[in-house]
Amino acid sequence: MNDGTLPPRLQSRKPIWWPNPDALGFDAAMARSSLSGDMVKEAELAWERFGPLLARLFPETAADGGRNRSDLRELHSIAGMIGLKRGRLLAKCDYALQTTGSIKARGGVFEVLTHAVDIGGKAGLVEKGGELSKLASPEAKEFFSRHRLLVGSTGNLGYSVGLAGCRLGFKVEVHMSHDAKQWKKERLTALGAHVVEHGSDFSQAVRAAREAAARQPNSHFVDDERSLTLFMGYAAAARELADQLEHSGIVVDLEHPLHVYLPCGVGGAPGGVTFGLKHIFGDAVRCIFVEPVGSPCMLVQLALGADRPVSVYDCGLDNRTIADGLAVAQASQLVARETRHLIEGIVTVEDESLLIWLAHMWRLEKMRLEPSAASGFAALVEFGGEIEAPNSSKEITRVVWTTGGAYQPETEFATALEWGNKLISSM
Ligand SMILES: Cc1ncc(COP(=O)(O)O)c(C=O)c1O
């Protein structure tokens, strides 16, 4: 039962495990949802259909038929280091997604392509059910140059919308919050996108982008707080993971549960993936969101805000974290509504733990993560025992979703790595 209070340690920025008191079995949760599993299937089919176009826009995906997929990697050395006795530990490698190097490509690229097909179809550039790669032609580019995409972002969604949008020929305007890293702004400007810098946080940047889109004709706003298209683009990742698990001979059922650790900012990416996974595995999958101690927006929303938006500022927190992708003060209301009964709970983690895990993952696995993307490891190591207690007699497969980082500049990564290594040696 949700008693509508916050865990006391939360307000003193201490890491916690918050088991979701509103979690329900899959059937009961879906009875309260306004969305359906068919919508995820439609998104999977749309991704398939986008294949030839994606391969034209992102030639690095051509060898894989224009699929925006990432590896699933078993982490033997990490499992050994943290002393896992039973079950398995794997990483879903979205940090190296070939399109834009973060999980946000699953939503952002998907929404840009969906919009391009929509307006391109209306303009007669492609026939209904026809070959979509025509949308990468010079004629289509000229058409798209008369249209604008707007988005508010801390960085990675902006890059996904910016790169896909600019390659199609759209004018792209990205509104960025004060936490956005300078290099993330610069790489967008280098693409030809217009970057609008805000001295305010993510929610304000999203609001400004929404208002700017409403003022300009031929504009499409990619709404990180409210877009169902983004949500379903992320949800389609669930089938990819399910196929990879099956391919590796990993059974998922109630006796062999799957625990998935998902970094959470505004909630769209982890929420969409959770929604998709639940439709495949039902109660055999348990999804755990991970948020920074200063920005636990989904936690405060689910703990306090059944019927109103709540921000971390309302709870005496400051939304300060080095995990720029997770620096969000107010969660998506759409995602909060859809995941309220689906997620197992939320872990909060300190910035130092992110840096330590960024360094471990580089040393042991040569995975180049950004701080946000290392958060799942910190959560598993600090609270895995407690989270797994109800399933402790079972063979658990743990998947940590590593959500971004492969394309960060060398100097940026080297600085975080040095910091992480120093923290490790001082332990
Ligand atoms: C690297 C990384 N991980 C996780 C997330 C969280 O995604 P969401 O904001 O959809 O919850 C983000 C968001 O930008 C991100 O950049």
Side-chain angles (χ1 to χ4, degrees), residues 103-104 154 156 263-270 325-326 370 372 403-404:
I103 192 170
K104 298 300 280 186
T154 55
N156 286 334
C264 176
V266 73
L326 313 184
E370 57 183 273
S372 301
T403 48

Side-chain angles (χ1 to χ4, degrees), residues 165-183:
C166 288
R167 287 191 178 170
L168 279 161
F170 282 99
K171 290 199 169 59
V172 179
E173 187 172 309
V174 185
H175 290 247
M176 297 181 93
S177 56
H178 66 77
D179 343 71
K181 297 255 159 58
Q182 189 55 28
W183 68 270

Side-chain angles (χ1 to χ4, degrees), residues 95 101-104 153-158 184 202 224 234 262-271 289-290 298 324-328 335 370-373 375 401-405:
Y95 80 99
S102 87
I103 192 170
K104 298 300 280 186
S153 174
T154 55
N156 286 334
L157 180 65
K184 289 189 177 175
F202 168 80
D224 210 8
Y234 301 121
L262 292 151
C264 176
V266 73
F289 284 9
V290 187
M298 192 58 78
D324 52 327
L326 313 184
V328 179
V335 178
E370 57 183 273
S372 301
S375 61
W401 216 287
T402 58
T403 48

